[in-house]
Amino acid sequence: MKVIGIKKPLEKEFLNHIEDLVDTEAVKEMKKIVHHGKTTTFEHCLNVSYYNYLICKKLGLDARAAARGGLLHDLFLYDWHTVTLANGHALQHAKRARINAEKYFDISPLERDIIEKHMFPLTFYALPKHRESFVTTLTDKYCGALEVITHRWDKLRRK
Ligand SMILES: [Fe+2]
Ligand SMILES: [Fe+2]
């Protein structure tokens, strides 16, 4: 497994935190759904999961919940390029991901908050309750931007 912007092998501790989730059908389903550029939803979630782990470990926060919540934060399980939701994907998908995460896994209240609040401040009414959730709002945007830029850059280089 590879994380965007990271060349060194991923820590065993990080892999231990997420290994039971990675092999499930629900998480594997995210490999079939393209998210940003050419990045699949699984790759994006793994990127967020890893940066969550690194930052939360450094800050003395719950790195395990941050890694697990990060991996499940976009478990909405539909192609947002083709499926139209009543209130739009941007506002709705975090809730959808939380519902799926609860359906398929036994998630903690902290993991639930990380998943459901990750679109803050766009979803200003869903204020994160935990520092790990705030970290996720940043890692999600950072990884998303990096994924789009990398994709555009690859396209430009091929021209
Ligand atoms: Fe998201
Ligand atoms: Fe995301």
Side-chain angles (χ1 to χ4, degrees):
M1 292 196 293
K2 289 199 73 173
V3 169
I4 197 160
I6 302 290
K7 294 221 163 67
K8 63 182 175 78
L10 304 180
E11 290 85 344
K12 188 98 185 71
E13 183 184 59
F14 166 69
L15 296 171
N16 285 343
H17 287 334
I18 60 163
E19 68 181 353
D20 60 309
L21 301 175
V22 169
D23 279 332
T24 60
E25 286 310 310
V27 169
K28 280 195 217 160
E29 190 65 25
M30 293 198 288
K31 295 183 179 181
K32 298 180 195 157
I33 305 168
V34 174
H35 200 31
H36 301 126
K38 268 167 65 181
T39 309
T40 66
T41 307
F42 174 79
E43 289 166 329
H44 167 70
C45 284
L46 183 68
N47 293 337
V48 171
S49 171
Y50 185 69
Y51 283 102
N52 267 4
Y53 163 77
L54 279 189
I55 294 168
C56 288
K57 192 175 160 75
K58 192 111 191 145
L59 296 177
L61 303 176
D62 190 334
R64 180 177 169 85
R68 295 172 73 82
L71 191 73
L72 302 176
H73 85 280
D74 271 336
L75 191 76
F76 46 82
L77 302 179
Y78 58 81
D79 183 353
W80 62 270
H81 301 87
T82 54
V83 172
T84 310
L85 298 186
N87 292 322
H89 169 76
L91 295 179
Q92 288 294 303
H93 78 274
K95 188 175 170 194
R96 196 67 87 85
R98 189 267 297 163
I99 290 168
N100 283 337
E102 284 182 325
K103 180 175 162 190
Y104 296 113
F105 307 105
D106 190 14
I107 59 168
S108 69
L110 173 53
E111 288 159 2
R112 179 194 156 107
D113 196 64
I114 289 171
I115 299 165
E116 186 145 27
K117 313 286 178 60
H118 81 265
M119 288 304 285
F120 182 84
L122 186 70
T123 52
F124 58 88
Y125 44 82
L127 185 72
K129 278 197 201 129
H130 302 277
R131 283 173 290 180
E132 290 84 350
S133 310
F134 267 113
V135 169
T136 309
T137 67
L138 302 176
T139 53
D140 183 37
K141 285 156 192 75
Y142 172 74
C143 292
L146 211 57
E147 290 155 14
V148 171
I149 291 165
T150 307
H151 175 59
R152 299 249 163 94
W153 180 248
D154 286 349
K155 256 171 109 176
L156 273 174
R157 279 199 345 202
R158 267 185 264 117
K159 274 190 182 167

